[in-house]
């Protein structure tokens, strides 16, 4: 199960550490805490992000709402199709947010608010995902 704070949590997990079930949401934190774990995490993170998106979607709806949304012609969509659709929707939202950020913070204002340091050198953000994340923080939005 993804989240131990969910009412759906049944205190069981495929991941068990020292005899205790671990919710999947903590895997990044767990594997990042020790050197050999970082290598394990490098292999897991791609799928972890996919499952995170799916778990967040499922957790935001009731079971019935989820399957109503993710069914076609009375048949449940495969998990891979749902994950792909969620990733496309996220990418579209990020592009929309980045466009809004560029429009609202033109020129030097954009550079001031949407930059980061790389090896001590200021760099202006170019990736929609990074711009969208920062923009959402600045204007306190969940989605654009």
């Amino acid at each position: 199960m993804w989240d131990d704070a969910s009412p759906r949590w049944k205190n069981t997990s495929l991941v068990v550490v020292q005899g205790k079930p671990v919710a999947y949401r903590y895997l990044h934190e767990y594997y990042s805490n020790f050197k050999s774990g970082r290598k394990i995490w490098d292999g897991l993170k791609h799928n972890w992000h996919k499952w995170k998106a799916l778990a967040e979607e499922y957790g935001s709806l009731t079971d019935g709402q989820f399957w109503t949304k993710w069914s076609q012609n009375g048949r449940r969509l495969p998990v891979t199709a749902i994950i792909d659709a969620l990733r496309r929707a996220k990418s579209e939202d990020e592009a929309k947010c980045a466009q809004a950020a560029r429009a609202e913070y033109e020129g030097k204002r954009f550079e001031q608010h949407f930059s980061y340091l790389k090896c001590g050198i200021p760099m202006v953000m170019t990736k929609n995902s990074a711009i969208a994340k920062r923009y959402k923080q600045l204007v306190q939005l969940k989605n654009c």
Side-chain angles (χ1 to χ4, degrees):
M1 181 60 156
W2 180 260
D3 188 355
D4 59 349
S6 166
R8 295 175 176 145
W9 174 255
K10 304 284 189 246
N11 208 30
T12 61
S13 176
L14 295 175
V15 180
V16 177
V17 177
Q18 296 179 347
K20 295 185 181 182
V22 177
Y24 292 3
R25 69 179 274 167
Y26 300 115
L27 290 180
H28 175 249
E29 186 179 321
Y30 175 75
Y31 283 116
S32 297
N33 283 329
F34 55 95
K35 192 173 184 176
S36 62
R38 287 188 211 113
K39 288 182 181 180
I40 294 168
W41 175 246
D42 285 344
L44 291 175
K45 68 183 171 187
H46 179 72
N47 284 330
W48 183 86
H49 285 287
K50 288 179 182 180
W51 285 102
K52 178 179 184 257
L54 184 66
E56 287 174 347
E57 176 76 0
Y58 183 75
S60 71
L61 304 166
T62 66
D63 191 61
Q65 290 169 330
F66 180 85
W67 289 115
T68 297
K69 181 176 180 178
W70 296 107
S71 295
Q72 287 181 344
N73 302 322
R75 297 191 66 156
R76 293 178 174 182
L77 292 173
V79 169
T80 52
I82 297 169
I83 290 170
D84 288 345
L86 290 170
R87 291 175 78 182
R88 279 192 307 275
K90 182 180 180 190
S91 181
E92 290 167 7
D93 181 64
E94 289 169 346
K96 187 176 170 184
C97 281
Q99 184 179 8
R102 288 183 181 102
E104 188 174 334
Y105 296 88
E106 294 182 64
K108 291 285 183 194
R109 285 189 67 223
F110 185 84
E111 291 176 19
Q112 290 169 346
H113 288 89
F114 297 91
S115 61
Y116 61 98
L117 294 177
K118 183 176 182 180
C119 299
I121 300 167
M123 306 290 287
V124 177
M125 294 177 180
T126 57
K127 291 184 179 178
N128 284 345
S129 58
I131 296 167
K133 183 177 180 180
R134 177 75 52 86
Y135 184 66
K136 290 174 183 179
Q137 290 169 340
L138 289 169
V139 296
Q140 299 179 343
L141 287 175
K142 183 170 171 72
N143 293 310
C144 288

